[in-house]
Amino acid sequence: MSKLSESVADYCNSEHFLFLNPDLKEHAEALLAHWCDQVGDDVTTESIRAALRQVAMLDAPAEARKAFPEVLREYLQYLESSGLLPGAGDWAEQVSHLESRHSESFRTDGSVRGQTYRKKFTDVGRNQPCPCGSGKKFKKCCMALLT
């Protein structure tokens, strides 16, 4: 269990938690614990973003998932101010930068938008010239490599 995971219960029993929006308190501990498990011990901007994405896809009320960056920011500021994890305030700033992206990832019904996958090449018809530049038709050149 990481140092982050161990401090979630401490945060939820602290005075800092009392100042959190009452509507968010019900699911805060579970969402924070899941975020800590996802982010692991090596906290980077990318791991913070990926863990936020994982929290967004949980089976929790949409409002709690949408407002999670606020809960996370307060939790990270608690870690910084209590001295449990110096440097967590920098992570809170990163969460602030990722917050708009997080809220944009939700559809109006509360589900999470998927990422669009774009092909890195164009489709080639079997009778078109081969994209390798040989001058032969695709079917006589490189098409066998794909099957």
Side-chain angles (χ1 to χ4, degrees):
M1 184 177 276
S2 72
K3 192 171 187 176
L4 283 173
S5 298
E6 293 171 359
S7 62
V8 170
D10 294 339
Y11 168 67
C12 292
N13 293 320
S14 72
E15 303 95 29
H16 294 270
F17 191 72
L18 296 175
F19 295 109
L20 191 63
N21 182 339
D23 298 334
L24 304 177
K25 288 181 182 180
E26 182 179 351
H27 300 283
E29 187 169 3
L31 294 177
L32 283 169
H34 184 77
W35 182 85
C36 290
D37 290 342
Q38 293 298 311
V39 81
D41 293 327
D42 185 28
V43 181
T44 62
T45 302
E46 184 58 32
S47 65
I48 291 172
R49 187 199 59 75
L52 272 173
R53 179 107 177 121
Q54 291 298 316
V55 168
M57 291 189 257
L58 287 175
D59 186 24
E63 292 307 314
R65 292 180 291 132
K66 285 180 185 178
F68 179 70
E70 177 185 341
V71 174
L72 180 58
R73 195 173 40 254
E74 293 297 323
Y75 167 65
L76 293 172
Q77 288 172 348
Y78 159 76
L79 292 176
E80 174 82 19
S81 66
S82 65
L84 291 173
L85 199 60
D90 296 336
W91 301 341
E93 288 179 30
Q94 291 177 13
V95 170
S96 295
H97 294 298
L98 295 170
E99 189 168 8
S100 64
R101 186 182 213 181
H102 177 77
S103 62
E104 291 169 359
S105 69
F106 288 93
R107 293 187 182 102
T108 55
D109 66 351
S111 62
V112 180
R113 290 182 164 86
Q115 293 179 331
T116 303
Y117 174 77
R118 298 187 191 276
K119 292 192 277 184
K120 295 181 174 126
F121 59 89
T122 58
D123 288 333
V124 179
R126 52 182 281 126
N127 289 317
Q128 292 179 330
C130 189
C132 75
S134 66
K136 297 179 183 178
K137 288 186 177 184
F138 181 59
K139 68 181 177 185
K140 296 285 186 178
C141 189
C142 294
M143 189 167 137
L145 297 174
L146 299 175
T147 57

Coordinates of all heavy atoms in Angstrom, one line a residue, residues 16-71:
H16 N -9.8 19.3 7.6 CA -9.8 19.7 6.2 C -11.0 19.1 5.4 O -11.6 19.8 4.6 CB -8.5 19.3 5.4 CG -7.3 20.0 6.0 ND1 -6.8 21.1 5.5 CD2 -6.4 19.6 7.0 CE1 -5.7 21.5 6.1 NE2 -5.5 20.6 7.0
F17 N -11.3 17.9 5.8 CA -12.4 17.2 5.1 C -13.8 17.9 5.5 O -14.7 17.9 4.7 CB -12.5 15.7 5.5 CG -13.4 14.9 4.8 CD1 -13.1 14.5 3.4 CD2 -14.5 14.4 5.3 CE1 -14.0 13.7 2.7 CE2 -15.4 13.6 4.6 CZ -15.1 13.2 3.3
L18 N -13.9 18.5 6.6 CA -15.1 19.1 7.1 C -15.4 20.3 6.2 O -16.6 20.6 6.0 CB -15.0 19.6 8.5 CG -14.8 18.6 9.6 CD1 -14.5 19.2 10.9 CD2 -16.0 17.6 9.6
F19 N -14.4 20.9 5.5 CA -14.7 22.1 4.7 C -15.0 21.7 3.3 O -15.4 22.6 2.4 CB -13.4 23.0 4.7 CG -13.2 23.6 6.0 CD1 -12.1 23.2 6.8 CD2 -14.0 24.6 6.5 CE1 -11.8 23.8 8.0 CE2 -13.8 25.1 7.8 CZ -12.7 24.7 8.5
L20 N -15.0 20.4 2.9 CA -15.3 19.9 1.6 C -16.8 20.0 1.4 O -17.6 19.9 2.3 CB -14.9 18.5 1.5 CG -14.9 17.9 0.1 CD1 -13.9 18.6 -0.8 CD2 -14.5 16.4 0.2
N21 N -17.2 20.3 0.2 CA -18.6 20.4 -0.2 C -19.4 19.1 0.3 O -18.9 18.0 0.0 CB -18.7 20.5 -1.7 CG -20.1 20.6 -2.2 OD1 -21.1 20.3 -1.5 ND2 -20.3 21.1 -3.4
P22 N -20.4 19.3 1.1 CA -21.1 18.1 1.7 C -21.6 17.1 0.6 O -21.7 15.9 0.9 CB -22.3 18.7 2.4 CG -21.9 20.1 2.6 CD -21.0 20.5 1.5
D23 N -22.0 17.6 -0.6 CA -22.4 16.7 -1.6 C -21.3 15.7 -2.1 O -21.6 14.6 -2.6 CB -23.0 17.5 -2.8 CG -24.2 18.3 -2.4 OD1 -24.9 18.0 -1.5 OD2 -24.4 19.3 -3.1
L24 N -20.1 16.1 -1.9 CA -19.0 15.3 -2.4 C -18.4 14.3 -1.3 O -17.7 13.4 -1.7 CB -17.8 16.2 -2.8 CG -18.2 17.3 -3.9 CD1 -17.0 18.2 -4.2 CD2 -18.7 16.6 -5.2
K25 N -18.8 14.6 -0.1 CA -18.2 13.8 1.0 C -18.5 12.3 0.9 O -17.7 11.4 1.3 CB -18.6 14.3 2.3 CG -17.9 15.6 2.7 CD -18.4 16.1 4.0 CE -17.7 17.5 4.3 NZ -18.1 18.0 5.6
E26 N -19.7 12.0 0.5 CA -20.2 10.6 0.5 C -19.3 9.7 -0.3 O -19.1 8.5 0.2 CB -21.7 10.6 0.0 CG -22.3 9.2 0.1 CD -23.7 9.1 -0.4 OE1 -24.3 10.2 -0.7 OE2 -24.2 8.0 -0.6
H27 N -18.9 10.1 -1.4 CA -18.1 9.2 -2.3 C -16.6 9.6 -2.3 O -15.8 8.9 -3.0 CB -18.6 9.3 -3.7 CG -20.0 8.9 -3.8 ND1 -20.4 7.5 -3.7 CD2 -21.2 9.6 -3.9 CE1 -21.7 7.5 -3.8 NE2 -22.2 8.7 -3.9
A28 N -16.2 10.6 -1.6 CA -14.8 11.1 -1.6 C -13.8 10.0 -1.2 O -12.8 9.9 -2.0 CB -14.7 12.3 -0.7
E29 N -14.0 9.3 -0.2 CA -13.0 8.4 0.3 C -12.8 7.2 -0.7 O -11.6 6.9 -1.0 CB -13.4 7.8 1.7 CG -12.3 6.9 2.2 CD -12.5 6.5 3.7 OE1 -13.6 6.9 4.3 OE2 -11.7 5.9 4.3
A30 N -13.9 6.7 -1.3 CA -13.7 5.6 -2.2 C -13.1 6.1 -3.5 O -12.2 5.4 -4.1 CB -15.1 5.0 -2.6
L31 N -13.4 7.3 -4.0 CA -12.8 7.8 -5.2 C -11.4 8.1 -5.0 O -10.5 7.8 -5.9 CB -13.6 9.0 -5.7 CG -15.0 8.8 -6.2 CD1 -15.7 10.1 -6.5 CD2 -15.1 7.8 -7.3
L32 N -11.0 8.7 -3.9 CA -9.6 9.0 -3.6 C -8.8 7.7 -3.5 O -7.7 7.7 -4.0 CB -9.5 9.8 -2.3 CG -9.9 11.3 -2.4 CD1 -9.9 11.9 -1.0 CD2 -8.9 12.0 -3.3
A33 N -9.3 6.7 -2.8 CA -8.6 5.5 -2.7 C -8.4 4.8 -4.0 O -7.3 4.3 -4.3 CB -9.4 4.5 -1.8
H34 N -9.3 4.9 -4.9 CA -9.2 4.3 -6.3 C -8.1 5.1 -7.0 O -7.3 4.6 -7.7 CB -10.5 4.3 -7.0 CG -10.4 3.7 -8.4 ND1 -10.4 2.3 -8.5 CD2 -10.3 4.2 -9.6 CE1 -10.3 2.1 -9.8 NE2 -10.2 3.2 -10.5
W35 N -8.2 6.5 -6.9 CA -7.2 7.3 -7.6 C -5.8 7.0 -7.1 O -4.9 6.8 -7.9 CB -7.5 8.8 -7.4 CG -6.6 9.7 -8.1 CD1 -6.7 10.1 -9.4 CD2 -5.4 10.3 -7.6 NE1 -5.6 10.9 -9.7 CE2 -4.8 11.0 -8.6 CE3 -4.7 10.2 -6.3 CZ2 -3.6 11.7 -8.4 CZ3 -3.6 10.9 -6.2 CH2 -3.0 11.7 -7.2
C36 N -5.6 6.8 -5.8 CA -4.3 6.5 -5.2 C -3.8 5.2 -5.8 O -2.6 5.0 -6.1 CB -4.3 6.5 -3.7 SG -4.6 8.2 -3.0
D37 N -4.7 4.2 -5.8 CA -4.3 2.9 -6.3 C -3.8 3.0 -7.8 O -2.9 2.3 -8.2 CB -5.4 1.9 -6.2 CG -5.7 1.5 -4.8 OD1 -4.8 1.7 -3.9 OD2 -6.8 1.0 -4.5
Q38 N -4.6 3.8 -8.6 CA -4.2 3.9 -10.0 C -3.0 4.7 -10.2 O -2.2 4.4 -11.1 CB -5.4 4.6 -10.7 CG -6.7 3.8 -10.8 CD -6.5 2.5 -11.5 OE1 -5.9 2.5 -12.6 NE2 -6.9 1.4 -10.9
V39 N -2.7 5.8 -9.5 CA -1.6 6.6 -9.7 C -0.3 5.9 -9.3 O 0.8 6.1 -9.8 CB -1.7 8.0 -9.1 CG1 -1.4 8.0 -7.6 CG2 -0.9 9.0 -9.8
G40 N -0.4 5.1 -8.2 CA 0.8 4.4 -7.7 C 1.8 5.3 -7.0 O 1.5 6.4 -6.6
D41 N 3.0 4.8 -6.9 CA 4.1 5.5 -6.2 C 4.8 6.5 -7.1 O 5.4 7.5 -6.6 CB 5.1 4.6 -5.6 CG 4.5 3.7 -4.5 OD1 3.6 4.2 -3.8 OD2 4.9 2.5 -4.4
D42 N 4.8 6.3 -8.4 CA 5.5 7.2 -9.3 C 4.5 8.2 -9.9 O 3.9 8.0 -10.9 CB 6.2 6.4 -10.4 CG 7.1 7.3 -11.3 OD1 7.6 8.3 -10.8 OD2 7.2 6.9 -12.5
V43 N 4.4 9.4 -9.2 CA 3.4 10.4 -9.6 C 4.0 11.3 -10.6 O 5.0 12.0 -10.3 CB 2.9 11.2 -8.4 CG1 1.8 12.2 -8.8 CG2 2.3 10.2 -7.3
T44 N 3.4 11.3 -11.8 CA 3.8 12.2 -12.9 C 2.5 12.9 -13.4 O 1.4 12.4 -13.1 CB 4.5 11.5 -14.0 OG1 3.6 10.5 -14.6 CG2 5.7 10.8 -13.5
T45 N 2.7 13.9 -14.2 CA 1.5 14.5 -14.9 C 0.7 13.5 -15.6 O -0.6 13.4 -15.6 CB 1.9 15.6 -15.8 OG1 2.7 16.6 -15.0 CG2 0.7 16.3 -16.4
E46 N 1.4 12.6 -16.3 CA 0.7 11.6 -17.1 C -0.1 10.6 -16.2 O -1.2 10.2 -16.5 CB 1.7 10.8 -18.0 CG 1.0 9.8 -18.9 CD 0.0 10.4 -19.8 OE1 0.1 11.5 -20.3 OE2 -1.0 9.6 -20.2
S47 N 0.6 10.2 -15.1 CA -0.1 9.2 -14.2 C -1.3 9.9 -13.5 O -2.3 9.2 -13.3 CB 0.9 8.6 -13.2 OG 1.3 9.6 -12.3
I48 N -1.2 11.2 -13.2 CA -2.3 11.9 -12.6 C -3.5 11.9 -13.6 O -4.6 11.7 -13.3 CB -1.9 13.3 -12.2 CG1 -1.0 13.3 -11.0 CG2 -3.1 14.2 -11.9 CD1 -0.3 14.6 -10.7
R49 N -3.2 12.3 -14.9 CA -4.2 12.3 -15.9 C -4.9 11.0 -16.1 O -6.1 10.8 -16.2 CB -3.6 12.8 -17.2 CG -4.7 13.1 -18.3 CD -4.1 13.1 -19.7 NE -3.4 11.9 -20.1 CZ -4.0 10.8 -20.4 NH1 -5.3 10.7 -20.4 NH2 -3.3 9.7 -20.8
A50 N -4.1 9.9 -16.2 CA -4.6 8.6 -16.4 C -5.5 8.1 -15.3 O -6.5 7.5 -15.4 CB -3.4 7.6 -16.7
A51 N -5.0 8.4 -14.0 CA -5.8 8.0 -12.9 C -7.1 8.8 -12.8 O -8.2 8.3 -12.4 CB -5.0 8.2 -11.6
L52 N -7.1 10.1 -13.2 CA -8.3 10.9 -13.3 C -9.3 10.2 -14.3 O -10.5 10.2 -14.0 CB -8.0 12.3 -13.7 CG -7.7 13.3 -12.6 CD1 -7.3 14.6 -13.2 CD2 -8.9 13.5 -11.7
R53 N -8.8 9.8 -15.4 CA -9.6 9.1 -16.4 C -10.2 7.8 -15.8 O -11.4 7.6 -16.1 CB -8.7 8.8 -17.6 CG -9.5 8.1 -18.7 CD -9.7 9.1 -19.8 NE -10.3 8.4 -20.9 CZ -11.5 8.7 -21.4 NH1 -12.1 9.8 -21.0 NH2 -12.0 8.1 -22.4
Q54 N -9.5 7.1 -15.1 CA -10.0 5.9 -14.5 C -11.1 6.2 -13.5 O -12.1 5.5 -13.4 CB -8.9 5.1 -13.8 CG -7.9 4.5 -14.7 CD -8.5 3.5 -15.6 OE1 -9.3 2.6 -15.2 NE2 -8.1 3.6 -16.9
V55 N -10.9 7.2 -12.7 CA -12.0 7.6 -11.7 C -13.2 8.0 -12.5 O -14.4 7.7 -12.1 CB -11.5 8.8 -10.8 CG1 -12.6 9.4 -10.0 CG2 -10.4 8.2 -9.9
A56 N -13.1 8.7 -13.6 CA -14.2 9.2 -14.4 C -15.1 8.0 -14.9 O -16.3 8.1 -15.1 CB -13.7 10.0 -15.6
M57 N -14.4 6.8 -15.1 CA -15.2 5.7 -15.6 C -15.7 4.7 -14.5 O -16.3 3.7 -14.8 CB -14.2 4.9 -16.5 CG -13.9 5.6 -17.8 SD -13.0 4.6 -18.9 CE -11.4 5.2 -18.8
L58 N -15.6 5.1 -13.3 CA -16.1 4.3 -12.2 C -17.6 4.3 -12.1 O -18.3 5.2 -12.7 CB -15.6 4.8 -10.8 CG -14.1 4.5 -10.5 CD1 -13.7 5.2 -9.2 CD2 -13.8 3.0 -10.5
D59 N -18.2 3.3 -11.4 CA -19.6 3.2 -11.3 C -20.0 4.0 -10.0 O -20.2 3.4 -8.9 CB -20.1 1.8 -11.2 CG -21.6 1.6 -11.1 OD1 -22.2 2.6 -11.6 OD2 -22.0 0.6 -10.6
A60 N -20.0 5.3 -10.1 CA -20.4 6.2 -9.0 C -21.2 7.3 -9.6 O -21.3 7.5 -10.9 CB -19.1 6.8 -8.4
P61 N -22.0 8.1 -8.8 CA -22.8 9.1 -9.4 C -22.0 10.1 -10.2 O -20.8 10.4 -9.9 CB -23.3 9.8 -8.1 CG -23.3 8.8 -7.1 CD -22.1 8.0 -7.4
A62 N -22.6 10.5 -11.3 CA -21.9 11.4 -12.3 C -21.4 12.7 -11.7 O -20.3 13.1 -11.9 CB -22.8 11.7 -13.5
E63 N -22.2 13.2 -10.8 CA -21.8 14.5 -10.1 C -20.5 14.3 -9.3 O -19.7 15.2 -9.2 CB -22.9 15.1 -9.3 CG -24.1 15.5 -10.1 CD -23.7 16.5 -11.2 OE1 -22.9 17.5 -11.0 OE2 -24.2 16.3 -12.4
A64 N -20.4 13.2 -8.6 CA -19.3 12.9 -7.8 C -18.0 12.7 -8.7 O -16.9 13.2 -8.4 CB -19.5 11.7 -6.9
R65 N -18.2 12.0 -9.8 CA -17.1 11.8 -10.7 C -16.7 13.1 -11.4 O -15.5 13.4 -11.6 CB -17.4 10.8 -11.8 CG -17.6 9.4 -11.2 CD -17.9 8.3 -12.2 NE -19.3 8.6 -12.7 CZ -19.6 8.6 -14.0 NH1 -18.8 8.4 -14.9 NH2 -20.9 8.8 -14.3
K66 N -17.6 14.0 -11.7 CA -17.3 15.2 -12.4 C -16.6 16.2 -11.4 O -15.7 16.9 -11.8 CB -18.6 15.9 -12.9 CG -19.2 15.3 -14.1 CD -20.5 16.0 -14.5 CE -21.1 15.3 -15.7 NZ -22.4 16.0 -16.1
A67 N -17.0 16.2 -10.2 CA -16.4 17.1 -9.2 C -15.1 16.5 -8.5 O -14.6 17.2 -7.7 CB -17.4 17.4 -8.2
F68 N -14.7 15.3 -8.9 CA -13.6 14.7 -8.3 C -12.3 15.5 -8.3 O -11.6 15.5 -7.3 CB -13.3 13.3 -8.9 CG -12.1 12.6 -8.2 CD1 -12.2 12.2 -6.9 CD2 -10.9 12.5 -8.9 CE1 -11.1 11.6 -6.3 CE2 -9.8 11.9 -8.3 CZ -9.9 11.5 -7.0
P69 N -12.0 16.3 -9.4 CA -10.8 17.1 -9.3 C -10.7 18.1 -8.1 O -9.7 18.3 -7.5 CB -10.8 17.9 -10.6 CG -11.5 16.9 -11.5 CD -12.5 16.3 -10.7
E70 N -11.9 18.6 -7.7 CA -12.0 19.5 -6.5 C -11.6 18.7 -5.3 O -10.8 19.2 -4.5 CB -13.4 20.0 -6.4 CG -13.6 20.9 -5.2 CD -15.1 21.4 -5.1 OE1 -15.8 21.3 -6.0 OE2 -15.4 21.8 -3.9
V71 N -12.1 17.5 -5.1 CA -11.8 16.7 -4.0 C -10.3 16.3 -4.0 O -9.7 16.4 -2.9 CB -12.7 15.4 -4.0 CG1 -12.3 14.4 -2.9 CG2 -14.1 15.7 -3.9

